Amino acid sequence: MTTFGIVRHGETEWNAQQRVQGRTDIPLNDTGRAQAAETGARLRAEQVTEGPWDAIVSSPLSRAHETARIIAAELGLPEPELVAELAERAHGEIEGLSFEERAARFAGGVPVPGLESREEVLDRALPSLEALAARHPDGRVLVVSHGGVISTLLHHSSGGAIDGPGRSIPNGSVREFRWGLGGLVLRSTV
């Protein structure tokens, strides 16, 4: 059984402005860097009881990669491996819009051109986690990703009991999952 600590990247200016980021590559702000350092320190302290982390991987988007590099430094891990399939959900024409602008422009369930479906997110994220689990059997792997990916994994791993769409995932938060014979299972939120 492989343990995954799945971390949401630190804050960006668009997070602070409540803008949809999607695949737009917005860097961390100073608050986000501090959040990443705090998350790394918390994970380092938890290693005393939970055991060390074996590896760290990241979405290639700069906000996730920088978060992963900061956490890796806190934990004494090597440079994070980039995994393209862990990138944020593509949000198409709503990227850059505020939540209010999105609601106004695409009210009442109007389809958003270019919006990646939750199923498409799962179709790329789950095989990448399965491959990581195969490379780290019985290991502990940190995965730095994005709110859209994490909320989709929460919804999937709970059999729909945890509502994924619209769920707020705090910057710097960690969700612990396990990968075993039954696939991905939520263990806890840290």
Side-chain angles (χ1 to χ4, degrees):
M1 179 123 5
T2 302
T3 298
F4 289 113
I6 303 186
V7 182
R8 183 176 182 209
H9 63 78
E11 183 185 85
T12 70
E13 285 306 312
W14 278 18
N15 288 141
Q17 297 167 10
Q18 297 189 331
R19 295 195 174 280
V20 178
Q21 292 178 118
R23 295 282 177 89
T24 305
D25 200 5
I26 306 300
L28 293 180
N29 61 21
D30 289 339
T31 299
R33 291 180 189 94
Q35 289 169 332
E38 290 167 12
T39 300
R42 189 173 68 247
L43 290 166
R44 186 180 67 241
E46 290 169 358
Q47 288 184 132
V48 173
T49 57
E50 299 294 322
W53 293 98
D54 300 309
I56 186 168
V57 301
S58 169
S59 153
L61 294 173
S62 65
R63 59 192 180 265
H65 187 218
E66 185 176 2
T67 298
R69 287 183 17 243
I70 293 167
I71 292 171
E74 287 283 338
L75 297 173
L77 292 171
E79 180 73 15
E81 174 188 345
L82 299 180
V83 179
E85 294 82 7
L86 299 173
E88 178 59 298
R89 180 183 184 199
H91 281 77
E93 291 188 17
I94 61 172
E95 291 188 17
L97 299 181
S98 70
F99 296 154
E100 294 80 22
E101 290 168 334
R102 177 201 175 157
R105 195 172 297 173
F106 296 97
V110 172
V112 176
L115 178 64
E116 185 178 19
S117 74
R118 297 280 177 179
E119 293 76 24
E120 290 169 322
V121 173
L122 284 175
D123 287 347
R124 64 180 165 81
L126 287 176
S128 71
L129 293 174
E130 184 176 23
L132 286 167
R135 287 178 33 211
H136 300 277
D138 299 319
R140 291 172 44 84
V141 180
L142 285 168
V143 175
V144 182
S145 192
H146 306 269
V149 173
I150 297 168
S151 67
T152 299
L153 293 173
L154 285 168
H155 185 73
H156 169 77
S157 66
S158 70
I162 298 174
D163 189 27
R167 182 176 183 81
S168 176
I169 308 292
N171 294 103
S173 64
V174 182
R175 303 298 193 280
E176 193 170 298
F177 293 84
R178 295 249 170 107
W179 188 282
L181 294 176
L184 191 68
V185 177
L186 178 66
R187 182 170 180 232
S188 70
T189 58
V190 179

